[in-house]
Amino acid sequence: MLNGKAPINFKKAVISVENAYYDGRLPVEMMEREIKRLAALALGYKQANAIAYEGRDRERFATYGSVFKVMSDTVKVVFAPGDTLNHLPFTYDFEDIAGRHDWSKMFVSKLLRTGTGNCHSLPYLYKMVVEELGENTHLALAPKHVYIKHRSDMLGMYNTELTSGTFPIDAWLMASGYIHLEAIQNGLYMEALSDKQSIALCLVDLAQGYEHKYGMDDVRFILLCVEAALAHYPNYPNALLLQSEALKAVLDQLAQQRQAAQTQAEKDSLQARHQKVLDHYTGLIKHIHTLGYRHMPEEMYLQWLASIKEQRKYQNPQLNTLKTY
Amino acid sequence: MKPTFTGLMLVFFGFAVCAQNPHIQGLPGRPDPARYFQPQIGVPQINMPAPPSSFGMKPAWSPNPVVPNPTPESIMREQRAQQQAQARMYAGNSARNYDMPPCVPAQDIRPYYEAFTEIKAMLDGTQPKDLGRAVFLSENAYLKNLDYEAFNQGLENIVFSLLDQIKKEGNSIEDNTAKIMMLHRFFTDTMRIYNRQSGKYETHYPKHYDFEDPRGDVDITKQFVTKLIREESGQCHSMPFLFLILAQKMKVEAYLSTAPSHNYIRFRHQRKWYNLELTNGHLTSHSYVIGSGKVKVEAIQTRLFMDTITIEKSIAHALTDLASYYHEEFCYDAFYRDVVHIALDYEPMNASGLAALSNYYTAWFEHAKKVAGNPPYAYLDRFPQLREIFGACNALHHHLNEIGYQEMSDEEYEQWRQDVNRDWHRKTLKELKP
């Protein structure tokens, strides 16, 4: 898709990445059906409920709003008086938010199966359902976080946060303290990602899935994925970090091999290779730091995530007052 | 900066014109400003017949005209005849002159024109770039009774005393941070300044925030640097500009920075950037500026807000101020537009300049609509100039959206004012003043 040899399809990319992790045993048709079902529900909601928005793009805005509603709030479907179905929202899974112990926590398939997800799977599913309905939407990145950005005729760009079902202003993203001004100016975070950049995200997810399954003994596949992703999204922080981790693994292996080497010639050649990789690694670390990346501890992340609900000043006043009839 | 941007948004949404060409340079109407000072025979009269009221059709400016309920055939025939008559009536109006008429005869704008010429010469490089002189010229064009010598000498005295004080405290006057801290002290502390003309010492008190009409909506002179110097109270426009004027005289490296409806100072110390909020004398973090100023990420990426604007480039901001003082005294006309255009040429990411241009386009559009006889939206295509102006409005609005422009709404501003009100530092500063 990135090389233009296949049409860009975010849903297909995400499903194939998760399927790879499950060695091809993912029930793909069920996932597709589920996404279509959510799209149909959202469409039904949109047709049944008008939204108080007067912009030229009110159709598109209503699509965004209805998918958001379906994912973040209970939707009542009335078949007949007394015969109501309550479609429950998706919620945040606080256990193992980074997928350290179980990488599948990041998956959309897990979200669909259990109804709980995290800041990785929830925006992905949102994007997949919105695109199923024929509209476009953008992912955006923050430290350890993915959210949604939309363009509205009346409001300009605005943010949608699926994990808490709110519309935070940009100030909230920066309030975490881990997004420097330089990071924004360099496009490291908070930029509305293009379709190609979203596919690059999937490629790095694939590499991370590989890492969780097979470790860093053979990093060639990881580096292949990461380099392909960086070709289309040069400042993607996760790709750069994964690349640095892979290079670190290579350095460790080279150091071990050098220890175990029998001849001086072997030792020298390994030393030379080690030095080359080390230079590359140091340059990369410097580059990541210059771009404005700063490591964020997990406890701080959870605290920051909760702050959007606790502090009204971070919520977008124009969107919070938008009513549905 | 008048908050008519919201008005522009409310007027223009719902229209089906494609918004193209986000670059300001492509927009229509940029004649040579020098023609303003040609003797005018008289303001061109536009004699417009009002549409006859018996037509019963209100000029509805919307792409979705109200569809009437089904009526008997005779009434429909009558309405069709009325529409045809109206189409014939509007047929001849496209040849009219849609330019904004000058607000006043050319002689009356002479102070503004002279200020404009001199500030433009600074930006061109044919005159030395002196921010103090540029600010003085723009304010004096409005007040017309200021004395430059007195103004400049007063500033020089301050600079002399501050540099002297730096030396007395054992610091070097080449040390940028020492000079910035001394300037900060001038704004936040009581200081004795030696008046070299009178030979006496004067006491200068901390400059505090003037809570009465800080945006200058009622009295625009509240924004003036000369008012800040005279009354020792100012707001978020005058305080940073006075800081930069003194900084230029002291050869300090400091920068102007902007947020929605706000200005502040940025400077560097040991390769780290710091923000100086002069309205309360605090050093603030980027997060504070973004949080309190509600800055959008797009504005940061496009450098519209929170950028580092050099003192020389700030002179373009003084030109935007000149335009707004001109509007305050007179109205929107082509002179106003050309001043704003020149300011934007030198500083394209100037939020107040872009807002000024947007306000102008709104007014121009309203005027052009009247000239055309208030035709319904369906007839827009018959008036190519009107369509061009309309397209320009939309394109500018789209551009502003794309670059992340926004104003502080009145509610947000009131909230911010109350927050600053509760700030204990304000009490402290008031206690310092006898």
Side-chain angles (χ1 to χ4, degrees), chain A residues 12 21 53 79 114 128 165 182 184 215 217 241 248 254 269 277 311 321:
Chain A
K12 227 171 144 189
Y21 186 82
Y53 175 79
F79 294 102
T114 63
M128 285 154 81
E182 291 77 30
I184 296 178
D217 287 337
L241 291 168
K248 179 90 185 11
L254 283 173
S269 96
V277 176
Q311 302 199 42
T321 53

Coordinates of all heavy atoms in Angstrom, one line a residue, chain A residues 12 21 53 79 114 128 165 182 184 215 217 241 248 254 269 277 311 321:
Chain A
K12 N -7.9 -3.1 6.2 CA -7.2 -4.3 5.7 C -5.8 -4.4 6.4 O -5.4 -5.5 6.8 CB -7.0 -4.2 4.2 CG -7.4 -5.4 3.5 CD -7.4 -5.2 2.0 CE -6.9 -6.4 1.3 NZ -6.7 -6.2 -0.2
Y21 N 0.0 -11.8 13.8 CA 0.4 -12.2 15.2 C -0.3 -13.5 15.5 O 0.3 -14.3 16.3 CB -0.1 -11.1 16.1 CG 0.3 -11.3 17.5 CD1 1.6 -10.9 18.0 CD2 -0.6 -11.8 18.5 CE1 2.0 -11.1 19.3 CE2 -0.2 -12.0 19.8 CZ 1.1 -11.6 20.2 OH 1.5 -11.8 21.5
Y53 N -25.8 21.4 14.4 CA -24.5 21.9 13.8 C -24.9 22.5 12.4 O -25.5 21.8 11.6 CB -23.5 20.7 13.6 CG -22.2 21.1 12.9 CD1 -21.2 21.8 13.6 CD2 -22.0 20.7 11.6 CE1 -20.1 22.1 12.9 CE2 -20.9 21.0 10.9 CZ -19.9 21.7 11.6 OH -18.7 22.0 10.9
F79 N -37.1 -1.7 18.9 CA -37.7 -2.5 17.8 C -39.3 -2.4 17.8 O -39.9 -2.3 16.8 CB -37.4 -4.0 18.0 CG -35.9 -4.2 17.7 CD1 -35.0 -4.4 18.8 CD2 -35.4 -4.2 16.4 CE1 -33.7 -4.6 18.6 CE2 -34.0 -4.4 16.2 CZ -33.2 -4.6 17.3
T114 N -14.0 -8.3 23.5 CA -14.3 -8.1 24.9 C -15.0 -6.8 25.2 O -15.4 -6.6 26.3 CB -13.0 -8.1 25.7 OG1 -12.2 -7.0 25.2 CG2 -12.2 -9.4 25.5
M128 N -11.7 2.9 11.5 CA -12.2 1.8 10.6 C -13.7 2.0 10.3 O -14.1 1.8 9.2 CB -11.9 0.4 11.2 CG -10.4 0.1 11.0 SD -9.8 -1.1 12.3 CE -10.3 -2.6 11.6
G165 N -14.2 9.6 25.9 CA -15.5 10.1 25.3 C -15.6 11.6 25.5 O -16.6 12.2 25.8
E182 N 9.2 22.2 20.7 CA 10.0 21.7 19.6 C 9.4 20.5 18.9 O 9.4 20.3 17.7 CB 11.5 21.4 20.0 CG 12.3 22.6 20.4 CD 12.0 23.0 21.8 OE1 11.6 22.2 22.6 OE2 12.1 24.2 22.0
I184 N 6.3 19.8 18.8 CA 5.2 20.2 17.9 C 5.7 20.8 16.7 O 5.2 20.5 15.5 CB 4.2 21.1 18.7 CG1 3.6 20.4 19.9 CG2 3.2 21.7 17.8 CD1 2.7 21.2 20.7
G215 N 11.0 -12.0 20.1 CA 12.1 -11.3 20.7 C 13.0 -10.6 19.8 O 12.7 -10.5 18.6
D217 N 16.2 -11.6 18.9 CA 17.3 -12.3 18.5 C 17.7 -12.1 17.1 O 18.9 -12.0 16.7 CB 17.0 -13.8 18.7 CG 17.0 -14.2 20.1 OD1 17.7 -13.5 20.9 OD2 16.4 -15.2 20.5
L241 N 12.1 4.8 18.0 CA 12.5 4.2 19.2 C 12.7 2.7 19.0 O 13.6 2.1 19.6 CB 11.3 4.4 20.3 CG 11.2 5.8 20.8 CD1 9.9 6.0 21.5 CD2 12.4 6.2 21.7
K248 N 20.2 -1.5 19.5 CA 20.8 -1.8 20.8 C 21.0 -3.4 20.9 O 22.0 -3.8 21.4 CB 19.9 -1.3 22.0 CG 20.4 -1.6 23.4 CD 21.3 -0.5 23.8 CE 21.9 -0.7 25.2 NZ 21.8 -1.9 25.8
L254 N 26.7 -8.2 19.0 CA 28.1 -8.0 18.5 C 29.1 -8.1 19.6 O 30.2 -8.7 19.5 CB 28.2 -6.7 17.7 CG 27.6 -6.7 16.3 CD1 27.6 -5.3 15.8 CD2 28.3 -7.6 15.4
S269 N 37.4 -7.3 13.5 CA 36.3 -7.0 12.5 C 35.0 -6.8 13.3 O 34.2 -5.9 12.9 CB 36.2 -8.1 11.5 OG 35.2 -9.0 11.8
V277 N 27.9 0.4 14.2 CA 26.5 0.4 14.7 C 26.3 1.4 15.8 O 25.3 2.0 16.0 CB 26.1 -1.1 15.1 CG1 24.7 -1.1 15.7 CG2 26.1 -2.0 13.9
Q311 N -10.7 18.0 34.8 CA -10.6 19.4 34.6 C -11.3 19.9 33.4 O -11.0 19.6 32.3 CB -9.1 19.7 34.4 CG -8.3 19.2 35.6 CD -6.9 19.9 35.7 OE1 -6.8 21.1 35.5 NE2 -5.9 19.1 36.1
T321 N -21.2 21.8 24.1 CA -22.6 22.4 24.1 C -23.4 22.0 22.9 O -24.5 22.3 22.8 CB -22.5 23.9 24.2 OG1 -21.7 24.4 23.1 CG2 -21.9 24.4 25.5

